Amino acid sequence: MTGRGTVLGPDGLARCPWGLEAESMADYRAYHDTEWGRPVHGDDALYERICLEGFQSGLSWLTILRRREGFRAAFAGFSIAAVAAFTEQDAERLLADPGIIRNRAKIAAAIGNARVAAAWGPGELTELVWSYAPEPKAAPRTTGDVPAVTPESTALSKELRKRGFRFVGPTTAYALMQACGLVDDHLADCHVRGASAR
């Protein structure tokens, strides 16, 4: 499978091609350069990423990125404890909130996932997610070298679902792993590649 290699941005720096999508260059470039692939630890922080990746399913990441502050406001800053206490009235409030993606199943999953995680001990979600981080692999040269699913993401998805999480299929789990730095899928020539270690 062929793919695209790095692209030079207007600042002369090489980036993964998605980091310079024309219609959204500023949004994607900032996310690509400062967040994507950087290690994320902490139960609430990982819960936020799990929720956002779930809401992204079937949509463009840009849609989620541009509504992230709306999501944070609607979901109490993605505090697991706070969202776990949401009521049916909160769910209805979320369904009427234009600042987020108003999908009943995804909203129910976000609340349900918080209730599952709230029953765990401190750090348990972080430990679980990071236990599936694979050994570092060779840097991808083109987007065609970047998988959509891996054995580790399939295993993480299976374990999360076994424990009661929803909207965490293998592709979503791999997107989570990429976004949270469990893997470094910045292309080999990308200026961000290897910018931060685990």
Side-chain angles (χ1 to χ4, degrees):
M1 178 177 169
T2 60
R4 297 169 64 196
T6 53
V7 178
L8 285 181
D11 53 8
L13 296 175
R15 289 181 177 82
C16 303
W18 65 265
L20 290 170
E21 294 292 336
E23 59 140 334
S24 54
M25 189 179 291
D27 297 304
Y28 270 162
R29 185 170 60 192
Y31 178 68
H32 170 275
D33 288 3
T34 64
E35 290 189 62
W36 193 75
R38 308 280 176 129
V40 174
H41 295 274
D43 294 346
D44 288 346
L46 285 166
Y47 167 68
E48 173 181 352
R49 300 323 193 282
I50 290 169
C51 287
L52 294 179
E53 294 294 347
F55 274 100
Q56 185 272 331
S57 181
L59 303 169
S60 80
W61 179 245
L62 183 62
T63 301
I64 303 303
L65 196 57
R66 288 183 171 165
R67 295 185 186 200
R68 185 162 55 170
E69 291 311 315
F71 273 107
R72 286 174 173 165
F75 282 93
F78 288 103
S79 160
I80 291 171
V83 178
F86 277 13
T87 63
E88 187 56 41
Q89 288 73 29
D90 288 304
E92 292 303 317
R93 169 183 58 81
L94 293 168
L95 280 168
D97 189 335
I100 67 169
I101 303 302
R102 295 174 284 183
N103 178 295
R104 187 177 295 276
K106 292 177 180 181
I107 288 169
I111 296 170
N113 292 347
R115 290 177 180 155
V116 170
W120 298 356
E124 192 171 344
L125 178 59
T126 301
E127 185 178 335
L128 172 68
V129 170
W130 277 91
S131 72
Y132 288 90
E135 289 300 312
K137 62 182 190 293
R141 306 290 314 174
T142 72
T143 55
D145 298 330
V146 179
V149 174
T150 64
E152 293 85 3
S153 77
T154 300
L156 173 58
S157 167
K158 183 177 179 181
E159 184 61 26
L160 286 170
R161 287 185 291 171
K162 185 173 92 173
R163 293 181 180 224
F165 273 70
R166 290 178 285 161
F167 276 92
V168 287
T171 302
T172 298
Y174 193 65
L176 173 75
M177 294 169 79
Q178 292 174 304
C180 296
L182 280 75
V183 296
D184 184 354
D185 275 345
H186 284 285
L187 301 185
D189 296 328
C190 176
H191 82 96
V192 183
R193 174 83 193 177
S196 61
R198 292 182 193 169

